[in-house]
Amino acid sequence: MAGGGRRFEIGYALLPKKENSFIRESLVKQARSRGIDLVKIDMGRPLADQGPFDCVLHKLYGEDWRSQLEDFRSQNPNAVIIDSPAAIERLHNRISMLQVVSELKIENQSETFGIPKQIVIYDRETLFDDQAWELLKFPVIAKPLVADGSAKSHKMALVFNHEGLNKLKPPIVLQEFVNHGGVIFKVYVVGEYVKCVKRKSLPDVSEEKLNSLQGSLSFSQVSNLATHQKSDDKYYKMMHLEDTELPPQSFMTDIAKGLRRAMNLNLFNFDVIRDTRFGNRYLIIDINYFPGYAKMPGYETVLTDFFCDMVYRKERQVVVEKDSVEEYSQEAVVGTDGRLVLSCEKEIRKIVPNSCCSDGEEMENSIQV
Ligand SMILES: O=P(O)(O)O[C@@H]1[C@@H](OP(=O)(O)O)[C@H](OP(=O)(O)O)[C@H](O)[C@H](OP(=O)(O)O)[C@H]1OP(=O)(O)O
Ligand SMILES: Nc1ncnc2c1ncn2[C@@H]1O[C@H](COP(=O)(O)OP(=O)(O)O)[C@@H](O)[C@H]1O
Ligand SMILES: [Mg+2]
Ligand SMILES: [Mg+2]
């Protein structure tokens, strides 16, 4: 075990469904064997009274939970919080979620990426306003603007014509439906680890079919159906999952890295489709915080590696801090004047930049000189 035999505690706060799927005995055991104890946070008691944890792993929302995390952080400035509520928040709105994609710059000669054309509609009037429709053409997907994990936030409609707009309930995002061969790519990100898998998606809609279709079609969490129907060979063949080529791994990794940095998140996945009109154009349509990692083969190892990275990196930083303090305070002694001590403090801060949970977010009071 690394870290000089010291054990680490990671507290987790998850909804029951998530806890059941994610906190498996196999994960708990593997983490334990590498010096990490996964401990359930007691939601009946203040978080700040528990632990003290080296790291908090969470997928819970709301003001109360946020302020509990803040209290915990101020009492445990060296603890790692995965991830910061402010960074997660961006993913709760389907417009801000994809804005970050448009800002990414990735050099690639052979593939391109972006997001589908989309507009946000806040009221029924705008829904039927021709001006709002200048950018889009049917079919479109209507998605609830809010993506907060509720069943409602996953209820979508594929809309074929104006008649289909009647059933929609703003606020919604209307997104151009892009034919993509019925297969979606899910790219799972765990810190630096990136894994792309294929899943079932909606079938293509041809011009011909579009003219014969009426109104709209409602659906929910279509990509999760594939796992339930894996045993149905005929169904699987029909979706052409096996014949579909994955996007180039290095391209997905570059996008994942860019998103991770831009969003300041460690645990997320994003849904990608390949536009059949071009073949080398990829569109990102959805980003999810802390998705269903247990569906990833060998998720226990990937997650344990990540936990180790988080807590050991933290441990290393603390050691560096201590070393730096000694080194610089010796210099300060040589100089023997108050001003010199002050400039040393600044130096130490430079040595331990952003020493925090998710990259980029400064941890205050981490250095005691
Ligand atoms: O439950 P699972 O394993 O299907 O995971 C869901 C994810 O499925 P995926 O890993 O992408 O196949 C799912 O992703 P999709 O929306 O299907 O793209 C969400 O991340 C969902 O979380 P939430 O309801 O948006 O908070 C995830 O649900 P929670 O487990 O977080 O409740
Ligand atoms: N612009 C689009 N073009 C084609 N299919 C789409 C598009 N947007 C979503 N889909 C399909 O709808 C599914 C659900 O949409 P998504 O935005 O991923 O919502 P959720 O957050 O519920 O997963 C996707 O997995 C994909 O099959
Ligand atoms: Mg999705
Ligand atoms: Mg989603």
Side-chain angles (χ1 to χ4, degrees):
M1 195 203 311
R6 154 145 154 53
R7 296 198 68 80
F8 296 90
E9 264 196 13
I10 297 188
Y12 62 84
L14 304 168
L15 289 175
K17 173 180 166 255
K18 193 71 174 176
E19 186 182 327
N20 283 339
S21 69
F22 184 76
I23 306 290
R24 293 194 185 156
E25 189 51 31
S26 50
L27 174 68
V28 173
K29 268 192 180 163
Q30 191 166 145
R32 191 185 297 139
S33 74
R34 293 175 62 188
I36 291 169
D37 297 315
L38 293 170
V39 179
K40 182 174 173 161
I41 290 169
D42 178 357
M43 296 309 291
R45 289 195 298 136
L47 172 62
D49 294 351
Q50 300 178 55
F53 303 114
D54 299 283
C55 174
V56 171
L57 187 67
H58 70 111
K59 185 175 180 179
L60 290 184
Y61 312 123
E63 269 317 298
D64 177 61
W65 177 242
R66 265 180 104 128
S67 82
Q68 293 228 37
L69 282 173
E70 267 159 36
D71 290 351
F72 175 82
R73 190 199 281 277
S74 59
Q75 287 190 34
N76 303 277
N78 285 329
V80 180
I81 294 175
I82 302 168
D83 279 297
S84 112
I88 298 170
E89 181 96 36
R90 181 203 289 266
L91 300 185
H92 290 168
N93 173 302
R94 291 188 193 271
I95 295 292
S96 56
M97 170 201 283
L98 296 186
Q99 243 155 15
V100 66
V101 178
S102 319
E103 289 156 20
L104 281 191
K105 294 214 168 19
I106 286 159
E107 301 263 317
N108 190 294
Q109 307 284 308
S110 15
E111 283 84 24
T112 64
F113 74 99
I115 61 171
K117 286 179 190 157
Q118 60 178 17
I119 54 172
V120 59
I121 304 274
Y122 292 101
D123 51 59
R124 281 186 68 80
E125 238 169 57
T126 324
L127 194 55
F128 297 97
D129 178 355
D130 281 351
Q131 255 189 352
W133 281 88
E134 272 169 10
L135 197 75
L136 293 179
K137 66 182 190 64
F138 290 108
V140 294
I141 295 206
K143 308 183 180 188
L145 177 61
V146 172
D148 59 0
S150 61
K152 206 173 131 197
S153 72
H154 290 293
K155 278 194 121 188
M156 320 248 146
L158 180 52
V159 185
F160 306 113
N161 49 42
H162 274 92
E163 185 198 323
L165 297 176
N166 287 312
K167 282 195 204 153
L168 304 181
K169 293 196 181 83
I172 49 171
V173 172
L174 290 179
Q175 200 175 77
E176 178 185 33
F177 176 85
V178 177
N179 283 335
H180 55 281
V183 178
I184 193 169
F185 307 107
K186 280 193 171 266
V187 185
Y188 289 88
V189 180
V190 184
E192 279 164 20
Y193 179 88
V194 180
K195 174 81 185 167
C196 180
V197 301
K198 293 180 262 186
R199 291 274 185 81
K200 172 194 181 264
S201 184
L202 295 174
D204 291 349
V205 180
S206 63
E207 287 281 342
E208 216 181 3
K209 211 156 74 182
L210 181 64
N211 294 329
S212 66
L213 290 164
Q214 286 185 357
S216 64
L217 175 85
S218 302
F219 67 94
S220 181
Q221 297 214 280
V222 69
S223 63
N224 276 341
L225 294 180
T227 41
H228 305 314
Q229 305 190 1
K230 248 181 192 154
S231 51
D232 187 342
D233 273 345
K234 250 196 263 161
Y235 178 83
Y236 235 70
K237 276 194 190 108
M238 200 183 82
M239 297 317 300
H240 309 295
L241 270 187
E242 266 138 47
D243 307 340
T244 304
E245 231 183 272
L246 282 169
Q249 171 73 21
S250 62
F251 185 50
M252 289 299 112
T253 302
D254 286 349
I255 296 178
K257 274 190 183 161
L259 286 176
R260 181 178 168 227
R261 199 159 300 144
M263 299 193 299
N264 191 25
L265 288 176
N266 286 291
L267 301 179
F268 64 96
N269 75 359
F270 54 99
D271 296 346
V272 183
I273 55 177
R274 181 162 46 215
D275 190 334
T276 49
R277 289 170 298 189
F278 304 102
N280 66 343
R281 173 140 183 90
Y282 292 88
L283 300 168
I284 294 163
I285 54 168
D286 186 26
I287 309 178
N288 304 291
Y289 185 63
F290 202 153
Y293 286 120
K295 288 180 210 148
M296 231 169 50
Y299 91 104
E300 296 91 339
T301 307
V302 174
L303 268 298
T304 303
D305 285 348
F306 170 70
F307 296 153
C308 289
D309 259 16
M310 288 292 115
V311 295
Y312 295 154
R313 193 201 293 165
K314 190 78 227 168
E315 179 84 342
R316 275 199 305 274
Q317 278 171 347
V318 172
V319 172
V320 171
E321 276 173 40
K322 282 184 189 149
D323 290 351
S324 313
V325 171
E326 271 168 30
E327 203 181 310
Y328 284 88
S329 47
Q330 270 170 13
E331 263 188 56
V333 171
V334 176
T336 49
D337 99 47
R339 280 171 142 203
L340 193 55
V341 173
L342 254 178
S343 74
C344 287
E345 278 182 14
K346 277 192 189 148
E347 279 302 329
I348 294 163
R349 281 177 199 278
K350 261 196 226 156
I351 289 169
V352 197
N354 300 336
S355 48
C356 91
C357 49
S358 330
D359 296 345
E361 200 186 335
E362 285 230 15
M363 195 178 71
E364 283 164 16
N365 309 325
S366 62
I367 302 143
Q368 335 255 297
V369 188

